[in-house]
Amino acid sequence: MSANIQDRIKEKVDYIYQRLRTQMSSIGSSTTSDKHVFFVFGASGDLAKKKIYPTLWSLYRDGLVPENIHFIGYARSQLTTEKIFENAHKYMKVKDDEHEAYEKFLKLNSYVPGSYDKAEDFEHLHSETNKITKQPTAHRYFYLALPPSVYDSVSEMISKHCRPESPGLLRLIVEKPFGKDLESSNKLSEHLNKSYSEEEIYRIDHYLGKEMVQNIIVLRFSNKIFSRVWNRDSIAAVNIIFKEDIGTQGRGGYFDEFGIIRDVIQNHLMQILSILAMEKPRSTTGEDIRDEKVKVLRCIAPIKLEDVVIGQYTGDKESTDPEHQEGYLDDKGVPKDSTTPTFAQVVLFVNNERWDGVPFILRAGKALNEKKAEIRIQFRDVPGGMFDDNIQENNPNGKLARDELVIRVQPNEAVYLKLNTKRPGEMDFSIEETELDLTYKERYQDVKLPDAYERLILDVFTGSKINFVRSDELQEAWRIVDPVLAEIDKKKIPVIPYKFGAVGLREAFAGAAKHGYIYTGTYVWKDERSGSITSPYKDKERTKSNAADKK
């Protein structure tokens, strides 16, 4: 590890401990707790095994957890701590020179079996916690890596039987989904509010922990060049895209209850939209930022059915990949007559002075051709026809290609601005598209970007709520999608079939074009640094969709 990276880690550690010390001293008591306990509820499940325990190990390894911390797993299964880590080990990424630190981490872990609804089991957990810490005021962090069906009982039992004594802090981390519709979401919020203050509740949407989603705020409000163009006068359309190249992979029974709109659009993509469209907050504090996000969501009318396209993937029998040969209805647990969408596109409008008339196109799908999440902000056409005779021959629109700011969330984080330039070597004003490119793996070669869960659990320790969902945000997001979900169910709107591995749905691309998002299919990303003519991240979506439209 270079000295530069070591210095950065030390600065991060110092910052975290300073935040912790400041927070503890602000409680107002002459005696503060110096011990911490992190509980993993659902310790035997996939989320805990694949994400939570590996994240806790990473934070511990880098010195980014509070001192004097202990980790306690809790689940119904009769397991041991050793068995939990035996199951999770392949996800832990322990390097050869880290085994000593890993052994120390393991010794900080315990496991307590118990039910999710019996008071005596939670009283036992509370007793075991006090035995381990020998400090009843130790701060307690409860991560609910559990199915939503047990949120009510577990949260109630924790509040009644597992609270630390004053001045110890309690923080409850709740995983999405936060309800299935507006009614169930409000019911969950009301239930939590009976036992917890809003300050104690951390609703986690892991997309808010991603590097490029967090970078949107900095890009928007620290660069003067964007302040004059970030509005309806300059921007024609905003496209927020989420694509996965895998199907439901045995999770069909769970997914069928929710569908892609509830699973991705209502939370991940709506959160991105609110950050893109919000006004400048007074500060970078959590409440100021979340206030502005709520204001934007309140300006969005419920989605109209005519602005929705839904699809469901089928198996590609010609594929050599066995997974690609199976469709959604082939997944175990999915009813054979299910019309749950695995692909959806919705179009939203923010009815305020800044964004009036600008379509925000939110598209998400499983079993597509690639894994990708990105934001495409397309600017309006250049007025006048000065370069009409110099436009590329293969531009089907007969116009200059639009400038476009692209923020690639994953994979290989990047920000690039697509623009027009004179083709080198030509004697006239021949024009082609190129880019101003900030690809993180090129610009920041020595920097490890933290996993989203690492950021968010770290935020829980420091008490930062910037990247967590507030109850009024949640209510507004459900208000926007709830009516159209009910209408889709009531009218039994048919899903459009698409093959596993498709680029997307032609109907979705046509819907985006109808709302003013232009596909040209002429952009080619040239990557001279790697020696390749085109990057694997070229504009495949546009090129292929344009070819499909021509057919």
Side-chain angles (χ1 to χ4, degrees), residues 281-304:
R282 293 187 305 168
S283 72
T284 57
T285 62
E287 292 313 298
D288 284 344
I289 290 174
R290 297 197 295 179
D291 284 346
E292 295 302 331
K293 288 166 65 181
V294 171
K295 288 178 185 177
V296 166
L297 294 174
R298 286 175 177 162
C299 293
I300 300 174
I303 301 167
K304 297 179 180 178

Side-chain angles (χ1 to χ4, degrees), residues 81 212 299 328 345 497:
T81 308
M212 297 312 298
C299 293
Y328 175 68
Q345 176 177 285

Side-chain angles (χ1 to χ4, degrees), residues 129-313:
T129 302
N130 286 337
K131 287 179 185 178
I132 290 169
T133 62
K134 296 181 175 60
Q135 187 181 84
T137 60
H139 306 299
R140 299 184 180 185
Y141 314 87
F142 295 88
Y143 198 113
L144 304 191
L146 296 167
S149 58
V150 298
Y151 282 175
D152 284 3
S153 61
V154 169
S155 60
E156 184 177 351
M157 291 291 109
I158 288 173
S159 182
K160 284 183 177 179
H161 305 290
C162 295
R163 281 188 170 275
E165 294 182 13
S166 180
L169 295 172
L170 182 149
R171 287 173 181 159
L172 185 76
I173 310 162
V174 185
E175 268 280 353
K176 79 171 190 71
F178 313 117
K180 187 181 176 182
D181 50 27
L182 180 59
E183 181 181 0
S184 59
S185 174
N186 285 344
K187 184 178 178 181
L188 175 61
S189 292
E190 290 170 6
H191 176 81
L192 292 176
N193 289 337
K194 290 178 182 176
S195 303
Y196 302 87
S197 68
E198 184 64 30
E199 281 304 305
E200 292 177 319
I201 304 169
Y202 287 70
R203 298 175 187 85
I204 192 168
D205 182 337
H206 77 272
Y207 247 65
L208 289 175
K210 290 189 175 292
E211 176 72 27
M212 297 312 298
V213 175
Q214 295 192 336
N215 199 17
I216 295 169
I217 295 175
V218 177
L219 285 172
R220 279 201 59 190
F221 300 118
S222 70
N223 294 291
K224 183 67 175 175
I225 59 173
F226 291 135
S227 62
R228 296 292 181 91
V229 298
W230 211 269
N231 54 54
R232 62 189 177 93
D233 296 329
S234 299
I235 294 175
V238 178
N239 203 351
I240 306 174
I241 302 163
F242 174 96
K243 301 175 73 174
E244 285 190 330
D245 57 359
I246 59 173
T248 48
Q249 292 188 327
R251 294 176 64 249
Y254 161 81
F255 185 86
D256 200 68
E257 187 180 351
F258 293 91
I260 198 73
I261 296 178
R262 292 181 176 94
D263 193 49
V264 176
I265 292 178
Q266 183 273 338
N267 40 73
H268 297 337
L269 303 195
M270 201 76 76
Q271 285 292 321
I272 292 175
L273 181 155
S274 65
I275 297 171
L276 280 171
M278 71 180 183
E279 296 300 317
K280 187 175 183 178
R282 293 187 305 168
S283 72
T284 57
T285 62
E287 292 313 298
D288 284 344
I289 290 174
R290 297 197 295 179
D291 284 346
E292 295 302 331
K293 288 166 65 181
V294 171
K295 288 178 185 177
V296 166
L297 294 174
R298 286 175 177 162
C299 293
I300 300 174
I303 301 167
K304 297 179 180 178
L305 187 60
E306 58 263 33
D307 292 329
V308 177
V309 176
I310 55 175
Q312 186 185 90
Y313 71 89

Side-chain angles (χ1 to χ4, degrees), residues 10 29 70 83 110 116 127 132 176 193 243 247 253 307 309 349 381 405 436 548:
K10 185 178 184 304
S29 172
H70 196 88
K83 185 61 177 178
S110 303
Y116 292 144
S127 174
I132 290 169
K176 79 171 190 71
N193 289 337
K243 301 175 73 174
D307 292 329
V309 176
F349 293 90
D381 295 321
L405 178 66
L436 300 177

Side-chain angles (χ1 to χ4, degrees), residues 432-467:
E432 70 176 8
E433 294 166 82
T434 186
E435 72 282 330
L436 300 177
D437 171 27
L438 166 60
T439 298
Y440 270 49
K441 68 178 181 180
E442 299 292 340
R443 179 64 175 84
Y444 304 113
Q445 294 184 11
D446 295 329
V447 177
K448 171 189 174 291
L449 297 180
D451 175 83
Y453 278 94
E454 290 179 35
R455 290 180 186 275
L456 295 174
I457 291 179
L458 192 56
D459 283 344
V460 173
F461 286 135
T462 61
S464 172
K465 303 204 74 172
I466 293 174
N467 301 309

